[in-house]
Amino acid sequence: MIKKISRQRCYKLYPKFPSTFNISDQFTYPDLYKSYILTTESKSAKGHAKNMAVALQHLVERMNIPSLIFMGDTGAAWLSQENDYSPVKEAMGFLEAEKVGKKFNGGLELKTEDLSAFIPHLFWLVRCNAALPIFYLMNEDQTLLANFCQYGNIHISTLNKRADNLFHKHLPQSGLTVFTDLYCYESFGKSGKVKGRGIVV
């Protein structure tokens, strides 16, 4: 399911990937055309992970994007933070089963048809492991850039007008909606805290 790409090769192939003090010891970020926050209706965090995964796959399919590449903005490995929370342990086990080693910090390429199986695991890694990098996703043409935040929303940017038009054409049928509040927040649970979230210092 997952094709691994070394970090150095991933930046060579897709130089618009954001970087924070890694290859060149400088912060780099591509020029964006428009940015949005996307969400969907869900009753629980577990349901939200599944719903967002299915909806994102629908959007990417409708935009005729054959695959996406995922990579963190720092040199930290995908599995660099331990977490005993069961959804996170399951996510880590999924990556290990896909031969993502403990030290691997490169890119992961997935075909669009496999996104709905992969995204829920990414959701839990981002949601609960505060020490991990920001894991960005990008298409091969480097016209779409996005990442999940800890609250489960997708922060997505188009990198040119054509991609933005295509995005708006297919968004209404995807199951995703534009998040209109001023900032993201925890929607599941009464405490307002993200259950299972931790950091390793």
Side-chain angles (χ1 to χ4, degrees):
M1 178 195 288
I2 293 176
K3 176 184 177 182
K4 295 187 292 183
I5 309 171
S6 73
R7 190 168 188 83
Q8 187 172 4
R9 178 166 173 76
C10 203
Y11 275 118
K12 184 176 181 179
L13 293 172
Y14 311 109
K16 291 185 180 180
F17 259 114
S19 62
T20 305
F21 307 116
N22 43 33
I23 298 297
S24 61
D25 290 332
Q26 293 181 352
F27 175 82
T28 61
Y29 203 84
D31 292 331
L32 307 178
Y33 182 74
K34 294 285 183 64
S35 295
Y36 312 90
I37 300 175
L38 305 179
T39 191
T40 192
E41 293 273 340
S42 305
K43 295 182 179 179
S44 67
K46 184 177 180 180
H48 196 63
K50 180 179 179 180
N51 293 344
M52 293 294 282
V54 171
L56 179 60
Q57 179 170 320
H58 286 168
L59 176 61
V60 173
E61 286 173 342
R62 285 170 169 79
M63 293 179 70
N64 291 318
I65 296 173
S67 65
L68 291 177
I69 302 93
F70 299 77
M71 189 166 68
D73 67 332
T74 75
W78 282 83
L79 301 177
S80 60
Q81 182 179 341
E82 295 290 336
N83 190 317
D84 290 330
Y85 191 48
S86 58
V88 184
K89 290 183 71 174
E90 184 177 340
M92 296 179 75
F94 173 86
L95 289 179
E96 289 171 348
E98 290 290 328
K99 310 301 182 184
V100 176
K102 292 286 187 181
K103 296 182 179 180
F104 183 76
N105 64 356
L108 303 179
E109 182 175 1
L110 284 99
K111 293 181 179 179
T112 296
E113 64 199 47
D114 295 325
L115 291 178
S116 61
F118 170 73
I119 292 294
H121 298 296
L122 175 66
F123 174 97
W124 287 109
L125 287 176
V126 172
R127 181 173 173 81
C128 297
N129 286 357
L132 291 181
I134 298 173
F135 290 116
Y136 288 95
L137 63 90
M138 184 182 287
N139 61 327
E140 288 185 291
D141 292 339
Q142 300 182 91
T143 58
L144 200 70
L145 178 71
N147 68 280
F148 279 86
C149 71
Q150 70 188 69
Y151 302 113
N153 296 326
I154 301 172
H155 295 243
I156 191 166
S157 298
T158 54
L159 275 63
N160 59 43
K161 185 176 181 178
R162 184 173 180 275
D164 195 69
N165 290 339
L166 192 63
F167 166 77
H168 281 288
K169 178 181 178 180
H170 296 291
L171 179 64
Q173 293 80 37
S174 69
L176 293 166
T177 57
V178 175
F179 183 80
T180 56
D181 289 346
L182 293 176
Y183 55 88
C184 299
Y185 51 84
E186 174 59 11
S187 301
F188 311 107
K190 298 179 180 179
S191 68
K193 295 181 179 180
V194 176
K195 184 177 180 180
R197 187 168 175 82
I199 189 168
V200 177
V201 180

